[in-house]
Amino acid sequence: MRTVVLRETNDQLQLIFYTDKRSEKMNHIKEHDAVSLLFFDTERLLQISIQANAKIITDDSKLQSIWNQIPQNSRKEYTSKLSPGKAIKNPEAVDYLEGKHFFSVIKLIPNRIEYLRLKRPNHIRVLFKKENTNWKGMFLVP
Ligand SMILES: Cc1cc2nc3c(=O)[nH]c(=O)nc-3n(C[C@H](O)[C@H](O)[C@H](O)COP(=O)(O)O)c2cc1C
């Protein structure tokens, strides 16, 4: 389990997050691409739970165009000299590379989405399943 920032969604319901290609999650995704995601909106009391397959984006021109949109000060996150997770003496002891980065983009392709909205008089729980290319939805007992 990791917290990540949802960077982008599109009309195919794909979700995008960014990471350092040396991070352990990359190895986990390479070994096994099935992932699950959990979102919770505290104001609307809405929970979205998603099962998806994770794909590492390898298209260089796509990666470059995303990289170009990242603000300069945020690019630093992907340039540490040592890999994420390595031991350091203190939080200031992180050196950064110039002119090299380990930026990576992961695309999540959902195959099952569960929607749960808590409200009175009836909670609403809906399961959406992808069958071939079509999505089918059904209400469930909350
Ligand atoms: C608020 C928050 C947002 C985060 N966003 C990301 C993210 O977008 N991408 C990422 O790789 N790690 C993000 N992290 C860090 C991961 O949760 C995780 O701790 C880190 O990437 C190490 O994971 P690893 O097991 O792959 O080494 C975030 C952590 C927090 C607390």
Side-chain angles (χ1 to χ4, degrees):
M1 278 184 291
R2 283 92 171 174
T3 306
V4 290
V5 177
L6 176 62
R7 302 288 177 174
E8 191 191 321
T9 57
N10 59 32
D11 51 14
Q12 294 158 272
L13 306 181
Q14 296 172 341
L15 305 107
I16 301 280
F17 76 91
Y18 304 157
T19 194
D20 183 310
K21 65 175 69 151
R22 300 166 295 176
S23 70
E24 192 60 18
K25 69 180 77 54
M26 290 291 275
N27 295 329
H28 289 175
I29 287 170
K30 284 177 196 162
E31 280 165 23
H32 190 68
D33 74 352
V35 299
S36 55
L37 315 164
L38 187 65
F39 300 86
F40 179 54
D41 181 330
T42 52
E43 275 168 30
R44 283 182 285 180
L45 298 181
L46 171 63
Q47 174 180 272
I48 305 280
S49 154
I50 300 179
Q51 288 180 14
N53 293 97
K55 303 278 170 235
I56 299 164
I57 292 190
T58 52
D59 177 339
D60 282 338
S61 62
K62 174 85 183 148
L63 285 171
Q64 190 61 48
S65 82
I66 299 172
W67 177 252
N68 292 343
Q69 289 162 32
I70 296 180
Q72 205 67 36
N73 57 347
S74 306
R75 292 184 181 178
K76 193 172 162 224
E77 309 293 335
Y78 312 96
T79 64
S80 61
K81 235 178 215 174
L82 296 178
S83 305
K86 290 273 188 227
I88 47 174
K89 286 208 173 106
N90 62 65
E92 282 89 50
V94 182
D95 292 324
Y96 295 92
L97 299 165
E98 300 270 344
K100 184 173 161 104
H101 65 75
F102 297 91
F103 178 65
S104 186
V105 177
I106 311 294
K107 179 165 72 177
L108 306 165
I109 304 165
N111 51 60
R112 190 185 153 108
I113 301 175
E114 214 177 291
Y115 170 107
L116 174 63
R117 176 101 193 256
L118 296 185
K119 64 185 195 87
R120 300 287 170 205
N122 298 111
H123 302 318
I124 301 171
R125 182 174 173 186
V126 191
L127 171 64
F128 299 95
K129 274 203 268 185
K130 196 173 181 184
E131 291 176 0
N132 301 316
T133 50
N134 296 325
W135 283 94
K136 292 232 165 90
M138 70 185 93
F139 292 107
L140 302 178
V141 177

